[in-house]
Amino acid sequence: MTGTPDLRARLRARGLRVTPQRELVLSAVQRLGHASPEAICTEVRRTAAGVNISTIYRTLDLLEELGLVRHAHLGPGAPTYHAADEHAHLHLVCHVCGTVAEAEVALAEQLVGRVLAVHGFEPDVEHMAIAGRCAQCRER
Amino acid sequence: MTGTPDLRARLRARGLRVTPQRELVLSAVQRLGHASPEAICTEVRRTAAGVNISTIYRTLDLLEELGLVRHAHLGPGAPTYHAADEHAHLHLVCHVCGTVAEAEVALAEQLVGRVLAVHGFEPDVEHMAIAGRCAQCRER
DNA sequence: CTTACTGCAAATATTTTGCATTTGG
DNA sequence: CCAAATGCAAAATATTTGCAGTAAG
């Protein structure tokens, strides 16, 4: 019920340090919603100038290990990071126009159940991007 | 009913040229089943030495445009190419051990229908990789 | 012959790594 | 103080592009 999980607590629980960079990266991810490492870096630098891109990458990995952020692959290249406390959602990526829409995970209910039953494989729906053609691009 | 669609015919229909490289790349993709551009390059070179990696990339793009090959993103980095005439399948990628399994597209039936109904978005199941944990990794 | 295609090398883009310096606790 | 974290620059990876020479039709 605490809304945002506590960065400080999780770091201390592991004997890791609370640094301004870590707080800045987490808050940038929360503010941006969905973003690439590059975009997160730009956002962080609006507040603190010198932060290095390699610190962004290391920090995102760490935050993901701590369960505070998650990433999804929406296509080639740029992974997208978002706060872990956001409600889970599917990503619909149009491979014509490139737009990304979100959809309820409930839509994948049967898929998840069947894949688990048939293959013993437990799908991670939050991480899964679905490619296809969006409504607008289908009309043409 | 022709089994493999005809490369030559499709190239000529567009006024493009039939080159040994194009034939080699297509046959390598058909032989390998699933492969990254790098792996395809290696396979092609077993037959013809000097073929350049940039030709592989250019040729794969072309073959995809012609509808002879398809690619799927199974994770970060390497896209995987396969012949377009193979039967469609889903990819199950374990993000613990990295193994890739195939699953019937029928498992995604409801997902496809619902996403189309609710969002007007037409999922491309062949292109969609599903991340998760495989049976073996779940047991631990 | 004409120009599409290829090989090559260099440019991009993205992420990772080694190491010296800084800094949280 | 001291190990952990950062900044920086270089390396590693993956893909793209410009251009001059080659070859398909």
Side-chain angles (χ1 to χ4, degrees):
Chain A
M1 297 295 147
T2 39
T4 306
D6 191 4
L7 173 60
R8 301 185 159 223
R10 301 210 186 186
L11 286 172
R12 285 184 186 137
R14 295 219 198 178
L16 300 175
R17 296 178 181 172
V18 178
T19 66
Q21 289 89 339
R22 288 172 178 175
E23 294 180 320
L24 286 166
V25 169
L26 179 56
S27 92
V29 170
Q30 292 170 333
R31 221 171 317 125
L32 292 173
H34 282 94
S36 66
E38 197 60 54
I40 292 164
C41 188
T42 302
E43 176 68 13
V44 166
R45 283 178 176 163
R46 293 180 3 126
T47 305
V51 183
N52 195 275
I53 185 72
S54 63
T55 298
I56 303 289
Y57 278 101
R58 287 186 283 226
T59 302
L60 286 170
D61 282 351
L62 174 62
L63 293 178
E64 191 152 30
E65 244 186 77
L66 296 178
L68 297 172
V69 307
R70 301 222 49 193
H71 78 275
H73 296 282
L74 305 187
T80 296
Y81 287 81
H82 60 275
D85 57 335
E86 275 178 25
H87 77 289
H89 52 260
L90 306 177
H91 295 99
L92 307 180
V93 184
C94 178
H95 54 39
V96 178
C97 67
T99 53
V100 179
E102 297 185 5
E104 290 177 52
V105 292
L107 297 177
E109 238 170 24
Q110 191 190 58
L111 172 70
V112 173
R114 285 189 175 184
V115 169
L116 189 56
V118 177
H119 296 269
F121 184 99
E122 185 184 35
D124 174 5
V125 289
E126 271 202 80
H127 194 266
M128 148 183 137
I130 300 176
R133 272 190 313 160
C134 69
Q136 299 190 350
C137 292
R138 285 178 53 232
E139 279 168 14
R140 298 182 219 151
Chain B
M1 297 293 143
T2 40
T4 306
D6 192 1
L7 174 59
R8 302 185 158 224
R10 300 209 188 187
L11 287 172
R12 286 184 186 136
R14 294 219 199 178
L16 300 175
R17 295 178 183 173
V18 179
T19 67
Q21 289 89 338
R22 288 173 178 174
E23 293 180 321
L24 285 166
V25 170
L26 178 57
S27 91
V29 170
Q30 292 171 333
R31 221 170 317 124
L32 293 172
H34 281 96
S36 65
E38 197 59 53
I40 292 164
C41 188
T42 302
E43 177 68 14
V44 167
R45 284 177 177 164
R46 293 180 3 126
T47 305
V51 182
N52 195 273
I53 184 72
S54 65
T55 299
I56 304 289
Y57 279 102
R58 286 186 284 225
T59 303
L60 286 171
D61 281 351
L62 174 63
L63 293 178
E64 191 151 30
E65 244 185 78
L66 296 178
L68 297 172
V69 307
R70 300 222 48 192
H71 78 275
H73 297 283
L74 305 186
T80 296
Y81 286 81
H82 60 274
D85 58 336
E86 276 180 24
H87 76 290
H89 52 261
L90 304 177
H91 295 99
L92 307 179
V93 184
C94 178
H95 53 40
V96 178
C97 67
T99 55
V100 179
E102 296 185 5
E104 291 176 49
V105 292
L107 297 176
E109 239 170 24
Q110 191 190 57
L111 172 70
V112 173
R114 286 189 174 183
V115 169
L116 189 56
V118 177
H119 295 270
F121 184 99
E122 184 183 38
D124 174 5
V125 288
E126 273 202 79
H127 194 266
M128 148 181 136
I130 300 176
R133 273 188 314 158
C134 69
Q136 299 190 351
C137 292
R138 283 178 53 233
E139 279 168 13
R140 299 183 218 152

